[in-house]
Amino acid sequence: MCIRDRARTRPEPPGGGPVLQEAARGYWDRRGLHGAAGGIAAAPGAQPLLLALIGAHGGDVLMPRPCPAAWMPQARLLGRPAYHVPTPAECGGIPDPYALLETVRRVRAEGGRPKLLLLSVVDDPTATVAPPELVREACEAAVDEGLHIISDETWRDTVHRPRDTVLLSPAEMCPDDVTVIADLSGALVPAAWPVAVARFPDTPRAAVRHARTLDILTALGALVAGPVAHAAAHALGEPDSVRDRIRRAAALQTEVAAAAHRAVLGSGALARPPQAGRHLYADLGPLRSRLADLGVTDSMELEEYLTDRLGAPAPGGHRFGDELGALRVRLGTGPLLGATPQQQTESLAAAKPLELPHVARALDDFAAVFAELR
């Protein structure tokens, strides 16, 4: 092995090397979030990065209900008190502003110290995009109460109809009070290449938190592998090939997710129309009687039932902070695109993917499972 090859296999320094940091800076700059490369931190995946960010902030943590499955465990691992806040009817990912204020006041009255709010404008698990006016109200309420915001924007490049969807980052409204994170496996790199990046505000206080974050990543040994960093920097540069693949993937998910959504609604279940990502979040509460006849009475049993019937993971709402008794489930649309890499590639390239035999068959099987619950 030559010296150059050996150098490429070495891990990046804590927080990522200058090439990766500059690529991330440029990525956010093109989205109106301007800053210096020195305000970037990278890690091998969203979980160690979020763990480091929470560790760099003091106080209690607030997050919407439902929320990504990893958020609550990260806070618990650090021994931080964490509280769920209900989301508005229009979308998931952000807390209802009035519920947020009430939760902050209640926690303080009980002796807590709420200091950090996690949210996601383009949400996992609900696959919704929060309207700008609600984002503004929630962020203004949080900042007025002295909360720092971590905005998870992993799925922002997977919006199904970007021309019809207004996406507003909290960092555009409250630039000094928002740290933005993105797991690049959302749209830019394969899931097997773990890399996530964070963008810090350009303030002295944020510089201190950035340094603390790097210290924690160092202690964890959470370093991005050299080859992965090289690929991530290339993807963050968004050459034409990457942009084209992102566009085609979003268009494909628009059609497949809409078909899955129709099948869920046809059974009598409820679900917000999916607007981004590769899944939808369904509420099977209206089917409770029929499900009870099948021995399904909570989201854990619903997860087991649908995972078995669909032949693909269907995590229950309890994994995302919803109550166990609520019959909610996240349904992935990825398995509908094909069982092999060849079929998935064919789906991505097809002008009419729903007419492909393997996609049509998968959608029919998916719809049949829900039709049984009518």
Side-chain angles (χ1 to χ4, degrees):
M1 182 182 293
C2 70
I3 294 176
R4 182 178 178 182
D5 289 338
R6 286 200 302 271
R8 281 193 170 185
T9 62
R10 294 173 183 167
E12 295 275 285
V19 174
L20 178 55
Q21 291 181 341
E22 175 58 27
R25 184 208 63 77
Y27 169 86
W28 273 308
D29 188 74
R30 292 188 294 275
R31 286 153 179 79
L33 305 181
H34 308 298
I40 302 295
Q47 293 191 19
L49 183 56
L50 182 59
L51 185 73
L53 287 170
I54 296 174
H57 290 76
D60 303 348
V61 184
L62 280 69
M63 60 191 73
R65 182 197 299 272
C67 66
W71 283 9
M72 184 62 78
Q74 300 286 70
R76 288 174 177 165
L77 184 61
L78 290 168
R80 297 291 178 82
Y83 304 89
H84 283 294
V85 183
T87 55
E90 295 90 332
C91 63
I94 63 169
D96 177 89
Y98 297 103
L100 175 63
L101 292 173
E102 179 59 30
T103 302
V104 169
R105 290 164 187 163
R106 174 177 57 81
V107 171
R108 285 179 178 153
E110 295 172 354
R113 295 188 312 118
K115 292 291 185 181
L116 192 62
L117 171 65
L118 309 184
L119 54 76
S120 53
V121 177
V122 184
D123 184 41
D124 172 11
T126 65
T128 58
V129 179
E133 60 274 14
L134 282 175
V135 177
R136 183 179 298 278
E137 291 174 9
C139 290
E140 287 178 350
V143 171
D144 287 347
E145 292 295 333
L147 303 180
H148 186 76
I149 299 168
I150 294 180
S151 175
D152 186 344
E153 300 182 11
T154 292
W155 299 99
R156 68 171 297 154
D157 293 323
T158 70
V159 172
H160 294 172
R161 302 182 187 275
R163 295 183 182 227
D164 302 326
T165 305
V166 179
L167 196 164
L168 183 65
S169 170
E172 296 180 66
M173 295 179 298
C174 309
D176 294 342
D177 299 289
V178 179
T179 299
V180 181
I181 64 171
D183 186 339
L184 302 192
S185 66
L188 292 172
V189 302
W193 298 357
V195 58
V197 289
R199 174 198 174 274
F200 289 75
D202 187 15
T203 66
R205 178 176 293 183
V208 172
R209 289 169 174 162
H210 181 268
R212 289 177 182 168
T213 300
L214 297 188
D215 287 344
I216 296 171
L217 292 173
T218 302
L220 293 173
L223 309 178
V224 180
V228 173
H230 179 77
H234 173 77
L236 284 165
E238 299 180 289
D240 290 343
S241 59
V242 171
R243 286 178 179 269
D244 180 64
R245 185 176 181 86
I246 290 173
R247 179 190 60 78
R248 287 189 288 118
L252 172 61
Q253 287 296 334
T254 300
E255 294 195 49
V256 174
H261 183 245
R262 289 192 295 270
V264 170
L265 295 185
S267 71
L270 304 174
R272 295 186 182 100
Q275 297 174 284
R278 299 186 287 267
H279 50 266
L280 66 152
Y281 200 61
D283 182 355
L284 276 67
L287 308 177
R288 186 176 293 275
S289 296
R290 170 61 176 151
L291 287 166
D293 293 340
L294 299 170
V296 176
T297 61
D298 60 30
S299 64
M300 188 176 298
E301 293 170 347
L302 180 63
E303 174 182 307
E304 294 175 357
Y305 173 81
L306 287 178
T307 296
D308 178 65
R309 298 290 291 118
L310 294 171
H318 60 285
R319 297 188 183 274
F320 308 104
D322 262 331
E323 296 178 359
L324 182 64
L327 294 173
R328 300 191 181 109
V329 63
R330 192 183 75 173
L331 302 164
T333 53
L336 302 174
L337 304 180
T340 67
Q342 292 77 12
Q343 288 181 340
Q344 294 163 5
T345 299
E346 185 180 0
S347 299
L348 190 63
K352 297 181 178 181
L354 301 191
E355 296 181 6
L356 292 173
H358 64 270
V359 175
R361 185 167 52 252
L363 283 169
D364 286 344
D365 293 343
F366 180 91
V369 170
F370 284 90
E372 293 172 356
L373 301 177
R374 290 176 187 162

mmCIF file of all heavy atoms in Angstrom, residues 44-72:
data_model
loop_
_atom_site.group_PDB
_atom_site.id
_atom_site.type_symbol
_atom_site.label_atom_id
_atom_site.label_comp_id
_atom_site.label_asym_id
_atom_site.label_seq_id
_atom_site.Cartn_x
_atom_site.Cartn_y
_atom_site.Cartn_z
ATOM 1 N N PRO A 44 -19.361 10.127 13.069
ATOM 2 C CA PRO A 44 -19.776 8.932 12.316
ATOM 3 C C PRO A 44 -21.218 8.542 12.619
ATOM 4 O O PRO A 44 -21.496 7.523 13.249
ATOM 5 C CB PRO A 44 -18.786 7.867 12.807
ATOM 6 C CG PRO A 44 -18.445 8.288 14.196
ATOM 7 C CD PRO A 44 -18.447 9.789 14.174
ATOM 8 N N GLY A 45 -22.142 9.374 12.178
ATOM 9 C CA GLY A 45 -23.555 9.095 12.372
ATOM 10 C C GLY A 45 -24.221 10.117 13.276
ATOM 11 O O GLY A 45 -23.574 10.840 14.035
ATOM 12 N N ALA A 46 -25.562 10.171 13.171
ATOM 13 C CA ALA A 46 -26.316 11.172 13.918
ATOM 14 C C ALA A 46 -26.336 10.893 15.412
ATOM 15 O O ALA A 46 -26.358 11.829 16.218
ATOM 16 C CB ALA A 46 -27.742 11.228 13.382
ATOM 17 N N GLN A 47 -26.309 9.633 15.809
ATOM 18 C CA GLN A 47 -26.452 9.337 17.236
ATOM 19 C C GLN A 47 -25.265 9.823 18.063
ATOM 20 O O GLN A 47 -25.462 10.505 19.074
ATOM 21 C CB GLN A 47 -26.713 7.842 17.434
ATOM 22 C CG GLN A 47 -28.065 7.426 16.864
ATOM 23 C CD GLN A 47 -28.464 6.023 17.266
ATOM 24 O OE1 GLN A 47 -27.961 5.460 18.220
ATOM 25 N NE2 GLN A 47 -29.385 5.439 16.527
ATOM 26 N N PRO A 48 -24.009 9.522 17.677
ATOM 27 C CA PRO A 48 -22.914 10.080 18.477
ATOM 28 C C PRO A 48 -22.840 11.596 18.404
ATOM 29 O O PRO A 48 -22.450 12.250 19.379
ATOM 30 C CB PRO A 48 -21.660 9.427 17.887
ATOM 31 C CG PRO A 48 -22.058 8.927 16.545
ATOM 32 C CD PRO A 48 -23.512 8.591 16.649
ATOM 33 N N LEU A 49 -23.240 12.171 17.259
ATOM 34 C CA LEU A 49 -23.208 13.626 17.144
ATOM 35 C C LEU A 49 -24.248 14.259 18.063
ATOM 36 O O LEU A 49 -23.945 15.226 18.784
ATOM 37 C CB LEU A 49 -23.455 14.036 15.696
ATOM 38 C CG LEU A 49 -23.388 15.544 15.411
ATOM 39 C CD1 LEU A 49 -22.058 16.135 15.844
ATOM 40 C CD2 LEU A 49 -23.632 15.812 13.933
ATOM 41 N N LEU A 50 -25.464 13.730 18.071
ATOM 42 C CA LEU A 50 -26.485 14.280 18.950
ATOM 43 C C LEU A 50 -26.118 14.068 20.417
ATOM 44 O O LEU A 50 -26.340 14.954 21.259
ATOM 45 C CB LEU A 50 -27.839 13.639 18.651
ATOM 46 C CG LEU A 50 -29.020 14.152 19.478
ATOM 47 C CD1 LEU A 50 -29.209 15.649 19.287
ATOM 48 C CD2 LEU A 50 -30.301 13.405 19.111
ATOM 49 N N LEU A 51 -25.546 12.919 20.732
ATOM 50 C CA LEU A 51 -25.108 12.664 22.110
ATOM 51 C C LEU A 51 -24.095 13.721 22.548
ATOM 52 O O LEU A 51 -24.178 14.260 23.661
ATOM 53 C CB LEU A 51 -24.490 11.269 22.203
ATOM 54 C CG LEU A 51 -24.083 10.811 23.606
ATOM 55 C CD1 LEU A 51 -25.319 10.487 24.434
ATOM 56 C CD2 LEU A 51 -23.171 9.587 23.535
ATOM 57 N N ALA A 52 -23.150 14.032 21.668
ATOM 58 C CA ALA A 52 -22.149 15.043 21.988
ATOM 59 C C ALA A 52 -22.777 16.425 22.133
ATOM 60 O O ALA A 52 -22.402 17.198 23.026
ATOM 61 C CB ALA A 52 -21.055 15.061 20.921
ATOM 62 N N LEU A 53 -23.738 16.741 21.284
ATOM 63 C CA LEU A 53 -24.391 18.054 21.356
ATOM 64 C C LEU A 53 -25.187 18.206 22.645
ATOM 65 O O LEU A 53 -25.130 19.253 23.302
ATOM 66 C CB LEU A 53 -25.296 18.247 20.147
ATOM 67 C CG LEU A 53 -24.603 18.498 18.812
ATOM 68 C CD1 LEU A 53 -25.617 18.431 17.672
ATOM 69 C CD2 LEU A 53 -23.900 19.844 18.815
ATOM 70 N N ILE A 54 -25.942 17.183 23.019
ATOM 71 C CA ILE A 54 -26.694 17.253 24.272
ATOM 72 C C ILE A 54 -25.728 17.365 25.442
ATOM 73 O O ILE A 54 -25.939 18.138 26.386
ATOM 74 C CB ILE A 54 -27.612 16.032 24.425
ATOM 75 C CG1 ILE A 54 -28.682 16.022 23.330
ATOM 76 C CG2 ILE A 54 -28.280 16.023 25.795
ATOM 77 C CD1 ILE A 54 -29.547 14.769 23.320
ATOM 78 N N GLY A 55 -24.632 16.601 25.376
ATOM 79 C CA GLY A 55 -23.640 16.663 26.441
ATOM 80 C C GLY A 55 -22.978 18.016 26.569
ATOM 81 O O GLY A 55 -22.547 18.409 27.664
ATOM 82 N N ALA A 56 -22.886 18.752 25.458
ATOM 83 C CA ALA A 56 -22.245 20.065 25.478
ATOM 84 C C ALA A 56 -23.154 21.149 26.041
ATOM 85 O O ALA A 56 -22.698 22.262 26.299
ATOM 86 C CB ALA A 56 -21.805 20.447 24.068
ATOM 87 N N HIS A 57 -24.453 20.855 26.183
ATOM 88 C CA HIS A 57 -25.408 21.796 26.739
ATOM 89 C C HIS A 57 -25.840 21.320 28.124
ATOM 90 O O HIS A 57 -26.023 20.127 28.350
ATOM 91 C CB HIS A 57 -26.654 21.916 25.848
ATOM 92 C CG HIS A 57 -26.404 22.595 24.543
ATOM 93 N ND1 HIS A 57 -25.771 21.965 23.485
ATOM 94 C CD2 HIS A 57 -26.709 23.848 24.110
ATOM 95 C CE1 HIS A 57 -25.708 22.811 22.463
ATOM 96 N NE2 HIS A 57 -26.258 23.943 22.811
ATOM 97 N N GLY A 58 -26.029 22.223 29.020
ATOM 98 C CA GLY A 58 -26.546 21.863 30.328
ATOM 99 C C GLY A 58 -28.063 21.866 30.327
ATOM 100 O O GLY A 58 -28.702 22.311 29.377
ATOM 101 N N GLY A 59 -28.650 21.354 31.416
ATOM 102 C CA GLY A 59 -30.080 21.460 31.607
ATOM 103 C C GLY A 59 -30.899 20.337 31.026
ATOM 104 O O GLY A 59 -30.384 19.374 30.454
ATOM 105 N N ASP A 60 -32.228 20.482 31.177
ATOM 106 C CA ASP A 60 -33.178 19.472 30.742
ATOM 107 C C ASP A 60 -33.479 19.628 29.250
ATOM 108 O O ASP A 60 -33.290 20.691 28.668
ATOM 109 C CB ASP A 60 -34.483 19.596 31.533
ATOM 110 C CG ASP A 60 -34.258 19.485 33.041
ATOM 111 O OD1 ASP A 60 -33.146 19.086 33.449
ATOM 112 O OD2 ASP A 60 -35.189 19.814 33.796
ATOM 113 N N VAL A 61 -33.983 18.540 28.665
ATOM 114 C CA VAL A 61 -34.210 18.483 27.224
ATOM 115 C C VAL A 61 -35.701 18.345 26.946
ATOM 116 O O VAL A 61 -36.391 17.542 27.579
ATOM 117 C CB VAL A 61 -33.447 17.291 26.599
ATOM 118 C CG1 VAL A 61 -33.609 17.282 25.088
ATOM 119 C CG2 VAL A 61 -31.972 17.335 26.981
ATOM 120 N N LEU A 62 -36.191 19.119 25.972
ATOM 121 C CA LEU A 62 -37.571 19.007 25.513
ATOM 122 C C LEU A 62 -37.570 18.555 24.067
ATOM 123 O O LEU A 62 -36.664 18.890 23.304
ATOM 124 C CB LEU A 62 -38.302 20.345 25.640
ATOM 125 C CG LEU A 62 -38.823 20.735 27.026
ATOM 126 C CD1 LEU A 62 -37.688 21.039 27.982
ATOM 127 C CD2 LEU A 62 -39.750 21.947 26.929
ATOM 128 N N MET A 63 -38.603 17.808 23.693
ATOM 129 C CA MET A 63 -38.711 17.298 22.328
ATOM 130 C C MET A 63 -40.172 17.048 22.000
ATOM 131 O O MET A 63 -40.990 16.833 22.903
ATOM 132 C CB MET A 63 -37.891 16.019 22.166
ATOM 133 C CG MET A 63 -38.300 14.876 23.065
ATOM 134 S SD MET A 63 -37.101 13.499 23.056
ATOM 135 C CE MET A 63 -35.747 14.204 24.002
ATOM 136 N N PRO A 64 -40.538 17.090 20.728
ATOM 137 C CA PRO A 64 -41.944 16.862 20.363
ATOM 138 C C PRO A 64 -42.343 15.404 20.548
ATOM 139 O O PRO A 64 -41.499 14.513 20.596
ATOM 140 C CB PRO A 64 -41.998 17.263 18.889
ATOM 141 C CG PRO A 64 -40.600 17.084 18.398
ATOM 142 C CD PRO A 64 -39.709 17.404 19.551
ATOM 143 N N ARG A 65 -43.637 15.209 20.626
ATOM 144 C CA ARG A 65 -44.218 13.861 20.652
ATOM 145 C C ARG A 65 -45.124 13.702 19.448
ATOM 146 O O ARG A 65 -46.081 14.469 19.334
ATOM 147 C CB ARG A 65 -45.027 13.643 21.935
ATOM 148 C CG ARG A 65 -45.620 12.219 22.044
ATOM 149 C CD ARG A 65 -46.719 12.139 23.080
ATOM 150 N NE ARG A 65 -46.305 12.463 24.414
ATOM 151 C CZ ARG A 65 -45.804 11.591 25.313
ATOM 152 N NH1 ARG A 65 -45.687 10.319 24.968
ATOM 153 N NH2 ARG A 65 -45.451 11.977 26.506
ATOM 154 N N PRO A 66 -44.852 12.748 18.534
ATOM 155 C CA PRO A 66 -43.729 11.792 18.507
ATOM 156 C C PRO A 66 -42.452 12.459 18.015
ATOM 157 O O PRO A 66 -42.479 13.583 17.517
ATOM 158 C CB PRO A 66 -44.225 10.740 17.506
ATOM 159 C CG PRO A 66 -45.078 11.524 16.544
ATOM 160 C CD PRO A 66 -45.782 12.553 17.383
ATOM 161 N N CYS A 67 -41.344 11.718 18.145
ATOM 162 C CA CYS A 67 -40.047 12.224 17.725
ATOM 163 C C CYS A 67 -39.205 11.056 17.241
ATOM 164 O O CYS A 67 -39.579 9.896 17.416
ATOM 165 C CB CYS A 67 -39.355 12.936 18.885
ATOM 166 S SG CYS A 67 -38.899 11.844 20.254
ATOM 167 N N PRO A 68 -38.043 11.309 16.616
ATOM 168 C CA PRO A 68 -37.180 10.206 16.194
ATOM 169 C C PRO A 68 -36.849 9.258 17.343
ATOM 170 O O PRO A 68 -36.678 9.680 18.491
ATOM 171 C CB PRO A 68 -35.936 10.928 15.668
ATOM 172 C CG PRO A 68 -36.463 12.226 15.157
ATOM 173 C CD PRO A 68 -37.541 12.612 16.136
ATOM 174 N N ALA A 69 -36.761 7.994 17.023
ATOM 175 C CA ALA A 69 -36.629 6.959 18.052
ATOM 176 C C ALA A 69 -35.384 7.115 18.912
ATOM 177 O O ALA A 69 -35.373 6.694 20.070
ATOM 178 C CB ALA A 69 -36.635 5.578 17.399
ATOM 179 N N ALA A 70 -34.321 7.720 18.385
ATOM 180 C CA ALA A 70 -33.061 7.800 19.124
ATOM 181 C C ALA A 70 -32.996 8.962 20.095
ATOM 182 O O ALA A 70 -32.106 8.994 20.959
ATOM 183 C CB ALA A 70 -31.888 7.901 18.141
ATOM 184 N N TRP A 71 -33.895 9.922 19.995
ATOM 185 C CA TRP A 71 -33.734 11.137 20.787
ATOM 186 C C TRP A 71 -33.845 10.907 22.290
ATOM 187 O O TRP A 71 -32.971 11.317 23.049
ATOM 188 C CB TRP A 71 -34.765 12.173 20.340
ATOM 189 C CG TRP A 71 -34.416 12.847 19.051
ATOM 190 C CD1 TRP A 71 -33.402 12.507 18.204
ATOM 191 C CD2 TRP A 71 -35.091 13.958 18.449
ATOM 192 N NE1 TRP A 71 -33.399 13.331 17.106
ATOM 193 C CE2 TRP A 71 -34.419 14.225 17.226
ATOM 194 C CE3 TRP A 71 -36.180 14.728 18.807
ATOM 195 C CZ2 TRP A 71 -34.829 15.266 16.382
ATOM 196 C CZ3 TRP A 71 -36.596 15.750 17.964
ATOM 197 C CH2 TRP A 71 -35.910 16.016 16.774
ATOM 198 N N MET A 72 -34.913 10.298 22.733
ATOM 199 C CA MET A 72 -35.094 10.093 24.176
ATOM 200 C C MET A 72 -33.991 9.218 24.770
ATOM 201 O O MET A 72 -33.444 9.543 25.828
ATOM 202 C CB MET A 72 -36.473 9.503 24.455
ATOM 203 C CG MET A 72 -36.796 9.348 25.937
ATOM 204 S SD MET A 72 -36.826 10.902 26.861
ATOM 205 C CE MET A 72 -38.421 11.563 26.378
#
